[in-house]
Amino acid sequence: MIENNFISIQSFYNNSLASFLFSIILLINLILLSRYISDKRFFFKTTSALSEGLIFVFIISIISFFTYYISLIGFNLNLLRFSLITINLILFLILIKKFKKNIFDKNLEITDYIFLFFFLLLAFSPTSDADSLDYHLGYPLEILRNEIFTARYDWYHSRISGIGEFYNLFGLMAGSPIFGQIVNFVSIYYLLLILNEVIKEKKINNLKSRYIIFSTPILIWFVYSQKIQLLPSIVIAMSLLYLLNNKQINFKNYSIFITNLIFVFFSKISFIFPVSILFIYSLRYVYKYKEFYLSLILLSMVFIVPRFYFNYYYFGDI
């Protein structure tokens, strides 16, 4: 067992087989759990790629805030890692048994799998970009070593870390040093599924649309890094589609919508404007109903107020 003070990214790659297996399990769990919740139709009346994608983002949001609060309280790394790995293994076995005949989405075509295969190779490549090694992974590693949230006033980049860095921390806790890249890959996966739905509905040239989007060079860099940029960008697109399909809006899925916007808001300051516009626009569908105001108050008390408070407590700024 490696002492906490000596934990580094290299520590995970020294046990590369275990890290690879944990990463595979996390990847499959993310996709199948999102599909399972979507199929139950608890939040949305119909099952679609959009509803599944929004639930995926909701899961990531809950993971991020859960890890953030755990880090504020403090944790025993060995106990927490054992617990997370055990839970992930049990969940993996349950979901594989549930979807053993339908692990892969039947709506995907051969060209989709080709695109996804190459993005998957990038996602499972060792992290090497400067930003990821500096603070997207570096700051979660610092928290991991101390087993509690640590304010580093001498490390400027650590102070610009958002809530997204805490799902990277969750990945490290669960034994995966590339969880951020896995999240970026799954974001691409849901972008592709949603694109398929739009293409079929609008009768757009299928292959041409894929080439236009998936030949964009910056996607390669996003999937290959753990930068918190691709997921929030796709969430903005998902949220807009959700509002345009306003017949599905109800108390349950609006709570998911707001939670996802809060996650994006705290991920990167540059997203404050699109998040604000989407939130204000959404009010036209919900302002008449009291339960929606209750949802806003509860979510603010659970996610927004504590985040602002602890930012001010540690850094003197919200």
Side-chain angles (χ1 to χ4, degrees), residues 4-43:
N4 291 356
N5 291 337
F6 297 99
I7 293 177
S8 66
I9 292 299
Q10 188 61 44
S11 307
F12 291 91
Y13 292 125
N14 288 341
N15 300 289
S16 54
L17 179 58
S19 296
F20 175 77
L21 291 176
F22 294 145
S23 299
I24 286 287
I25 289 171
L26 285 168
L27 169 63
I28 294 174
N29 282 354
L30 275 178
I31 294 175
L32 294 187
L33 182 60
S34 302
R35 189 185 305 173
Y36 176 78
I37 296 173
S38 178
D39 288 347
K40 289 296 180 181
R41 301 186 182 182
F42 180 74
F43 295 104

Side-chain angles (χ1 to χ4, degrees), residues 139-155:
Y139 191 50
L141 276 170
E142 183 70 10
I143 297 172
L144 207 66
R145 295 185 189 110
N146 292 285
E147 298 187 341
I148 196 168
F149 183 88
T150 307
R152 285 284 302 271
Y153 302 105
D154 60 327
W155 183 6

Side-chain angles (χ1 to χ4, degrees), residues 68 71-72 139 142-144 146-161 166 310-316:
Y68 174 61
S71 69
L72 288 172
Y139 191 50
E142 183 70 10
I143 297 172
L144 207 66
N146 292 285
E147 298 187 341
I148 196 168
F149 183 88
T150 307
R152 285 284 302 271
Y153 302 105
D154 60 327
W155 183 6
Y156 176 75
H157 278 168
S158 71
R159 299 181 64 179
I160 61 174
S161 297
F166 287 91
F310 285 109
N311 276 355
Y312 185 80
Y313 178 80
Y314 283 106
F315 304 113

Side-chain angles (χ1 to χ4, degrees), residues 102-155:
N102 189 27
I103 295 177
F104 300 103
D105 196 292
K106 294 180 179 179
N107 295 320
L108 294 177
E109 300 178 4
I110 295 176
T111 52
D112 299 329
Y113 285 113
I114 292 172
F115 279 120
L116 289 173
F117 173 73
F118 286 108
F119 281 122
L120 184 64
L121 290 180
L122 287 172
F124 275 81
S125 302
T127 306
S128 61
D129 65 290
D131 277 354
S132 295
L133 293 176
D134 180 23
Y135 69 98
H136 294 308
L137 277 178
Y139 191 50
L141 276 170
E142 183 70 10
I143 297 172
L144 207 66
R145 295 185 189 110
N146 292 285
E147 298 187 341
I148 196 168
F149 183 88
T150 307
R152 285 284 302 271
Y153 302 105
D154 60 327
W155 183 6

Side-chain angles (χ1 to χ4, degrees), residues 3-265:
E3 291 293 332
N4 291 356
N5 291 337
F6 297 99
I7 293 177
S8 66
I9 292 299
Q10 188 61 44
S11 307
F12 291 91
Y13 292 125
N14 288 341
N15 300 289
S16 54
L17 179 58
S19 296
F20 175 77
L21 291 176
F22 294 145
S23 299
I24 286 287
I25 289 171
L26 285 168
L27 169 63
I28 294 174
N29 282 354
L30 275 178
I31 294 175
L32 294 187
L33 182 60
S34 302
R35 189 185 305 173
Y36 176 78
I37 296 173
S38 178
D39 288 347
K40 289 296 180 181
R41 301 186 182 182
F42 180 74
F43 295 104
F44 295 88
K45 296 177 182 178
T46 59
T47 300
S48 66
L50 179 60
S51 64
E52 192 176 323
L54 288 169
I55 290 169
F56 154 69
V57 179
F58 179 68
I59 292 170
I60 294 298
S61 302
I62 296 301
I63 284 174
S64 301
F65 279 101
F66 166 79
T67 310
Y68 174 61
Y69 293 140
I70 287 292
S71 69
L72 288 172
I73 298 169
F75 55 89
N76 180 286
L77 178 57
N78 293 331
L79 178 60
L80 185 59
R81 177 170 290 173
F82 174 79
S83 302
L84 289 177
I85 289 174
T86 302
I87 291 169
N88 271 302
L89 285 172
I90 293 171
L91 184 61
F92 173 76
L93 294 174
I94 293 171
L95 291 172
I96 286 293
K97 184 178 180 181
K98 175 73 176 175
F99 292 100
K100 59 183 177 182
K101 295 182 180 179
N102 189 27
I103 295 177
F104 300 103
D105 196 292
K106 294 180 179 179
N107 295 320
L108 294 177
E109 300 178 4
I110 295 176
T111 52
D112 299 329
Y113 285 113
I114 292 172
F115 279 120
L116 289 173
F117 173 73
F118 286 108
F119 281 122
L120 184 64
L121 290 180
L122 287 172
F124 275 81
S125 302
T127 306
S128 61
D129 65 290
D131 277 354
S132 295
L133 293 176
D134 180 23
Y135 69 98
H136 294 308
L137 277 178
Y139 191 50
L141 276 170
E142 183 70 10
I143 297 172
L144 207 66
R145 295 185 189 110
N146 292 285
E147 298 187 341
I148 196 168
F149 183 88
T150 307
R152 285 284 302 271
Y153 302 105
D154 60 327
W155 183 6
Y156 176 75
H157 278 168
S158 71
R159 299 181 64 179
I160 61 174
S161 297
I163 199 67
E165 272 67 39
F166 287 91
Y167 70 67
N168 285 341
L169 174 59
F170 174 86
L172 295 174
M173 289 174 172
S176 172
I178 57 168
F179 187 63
Q181 291 163 224
I182 289 172
V183 170
N184 287 337
F185 169 78
V186 179
S187 301
I188 290 284
Y189 170 76
Y190 281 113
L191 176 63
L192 186 55
L193 290 183
I194 294 169
L195 178 65
N196 278 351
E197 284 189 347
V198 174
I199 284 171
K200 290 177 181 178
E201 183 180 343
K202 302 296 182 181
K203 298 181 180 179
I204 305 170
N205 186 309
N206 199 326
L207 190 60
K208 184 178 179 181
S209 302
R210 284 175 171 76
Y211 283 150
I212 290 173
I213 293 178
F214 291 99
S215 61
T216 307
I218 198 169
L219 286 180
I220 295 174
W221 183 76
F222 277 144
V223 176
Y224 185 54
S225 76
Q226 307 214 28
K227 194 171 181 65
I228 320 300
Q229 183 83 32
L230 182 60
L231 176 61
S233 300
I234 292 177
V235 175
I236 296 296
M238 287 182 184
S239 300
L240 181 59
L241 288 173
Y242 166 78
L243 292 177
L244 293 175
N245 188 20
N246 55 76
K247 293 180 181 179
Q248 285 204 67
I249 295 178
N250 58 43
F251 174 75
K252 294 176 183 177
N253 57 48
Y254 188 74
S255 297
I256 286 183
F257 166 77
I258 292 297
T259 302
N260 292 349
L261 287 188
I262 292 171
F263 169 78
V264 174
F265 175 81

